[in-house]
């Protein structure tokens, strides 16, 4: 690996303020802010908008799409079940 070509890879804390959640990992992300972590060390902290603790998919608060309305609208528009074409696999 060439020297001075790659960013520094170090321990960083990512913090989701909306969920009150923070985790320590390794990253090349930089920050001027620091935080004192549970192990007594001081690490740079990067604030993020959303994490697995606040994302609707991971928290189970995701909205479901109303597929029934779409199906009934399709059937009203195109007349319900598709007619039998009499082709391969169909009754002739």
């Amino acid at each position: 690996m060439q020297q001075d070509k790659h960013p520094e890879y170090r321990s960083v804390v990512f913090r989701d303020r909306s969920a009150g959640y923070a985790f320590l990992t390794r990253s090349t992300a930089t920050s001027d802010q620091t935080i004192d972590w549970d192990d007594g060390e001081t690490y740079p902290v990067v604030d993020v908008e959303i994490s697995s603790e606040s994302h609707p998919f991971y928290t189970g608060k995701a909205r479901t799409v109303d597929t029934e309305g779409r199906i009934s609208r399709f059937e009203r528009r195109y007349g319900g079940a598709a007619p039998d074409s009499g082709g391969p696999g169909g009754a002739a």
Side-chain angles (χ1 to χ4, degrees), residues 12-13 15 17 30-35 42-47:
V12 178
V13 174
R15 178 174 53 191
R17 288 185 175 252
T30 60
S31 175
D32 295 331
Q33 300 176 353
T34 59
I35 189 171
T42 301
Y43 298 104
V45 63
V46 176
D47 290 325

Side-chain angles (χ1 to χ4, degrees), residues 15-21 48-51 53-54:
R15 178 174 53 191
D16 181 357
R17 288 185 175 252
S18 64
Y21 177 69
V48 294
E49 296 279 330
I50 197 161
S51 70
E53 292 294 312
S54 61

Side-chain angles (χ1 to χ4, degrees), residues 6 15 19-21 24 35 37 39 43 47 65 67 71 73 75-76 78-79 81 83-84 86-88:
H6 300 282
R15 178 174 53 191
Y21 177 69
L24 177 67
I35 189 171
W37 196 244
D39 61 2
Y43 298 104
D47 290 325
V65 177
T67 57
I71 293 170
R73 186 171 57 224
E75 288 175 350
R76 276 195 320 267
Y78 297 108
D84 188 15

